[in-house]
Amino acid sequence: MRARTFWFLTLPALFVAETAGHTLVAQVSDPQDARHRLLSNVLEDYALPFVPAVVLLAAAILGRRVLASFRAEGPQPLPLWRLAALPALGFLFQEYAEQLVHDGRIGWLTALEPLVLIGVALQLVWGLLAIWLVRMLLRAAEQLGCTLARRSPRSARRTHQLRVRPFHAPEPRLPVLASQQAGRAPPAVA
């Protein structure tokens, strides 16, 4: 996957997935908890102003994917499914950071609390949904480029496959003892 696709499309989608999952867990557990209100204050103050820029960059990445497909530059790599674990890791980090900021200490068994385990599982689902959405958007952009160029996406993939000439290696030579030219072997000692 190209770095631009990761930084401007996949990573923001994973961040939104982590934030949505964390907000849902916070609403289910205790909406009045000061520890969880810390996240909503940070999001309102710092993250929301960046949303238009992220959307604009995502549109530029998708436009670039359409153009590359239109020019038949070959298929572009898609985000890996294992990136779906990033929101769960971010959720765990955020739980520890909230606990440190709110209580002034880190409880090392926080990751084993039932609500945190439910949150991690929810984050994995949100991460999978985010990666699926990004992959579908990239495939749709590639399909649009092929449609505009009036060819099928499969033919575009076939034109840029690596063509390898067959390699003809000489047959291996057998040693004289392994062939039948050596004659009869001496008798075995019993």
Side-chain angles (χ1 to χ4, degrees), residues 9-32:
L9 189 64
T10 307
L11 205 57
L14 290 172
F15 176 74
V16 168
E18 193 276 332
T19 305
H22 196 275
T23 304
L24 184 63
V25 169
Q27 291 296 323
V28 168
S29 66
D30 186 13
Q32 301 304 323

Side-chain angles (χ1 to χ4, degrees), residues 120-181:
V120 168
L122 185 65
Q123 291 297 333
L124 286 173
V125 171
W126 281 103
L128 286 171
L129 285 173
I131 294 295
W132 175 81
L133 177 67
V134 167
R135 289 173 68 100
M136 289 299 113
L137 285 172
L138 291 172
R139 283 186 182 144
E142 188 173 313
Q143 176 71 33
L144 179 62
C146 287
T147 302
L148 292 174
R150 296 188 181 174
R151 69 175 175 279
S152 71
R154 294 180 188 194
S155 66
R157 287 190 177 128
R158 267 188 261 131
T159 59
H160 288 284
Q161 289 179 349
L162 182 63
R163 295 191 178 125
V164 179
R165 284 186 256 138
F167 176 72
H168 296 289
E171 292 184 22
R173 297 183 60 190
L174 297 174
V176 173
L177 292 177
S179 68
Q180 295 181 357
Q181 298 173 359

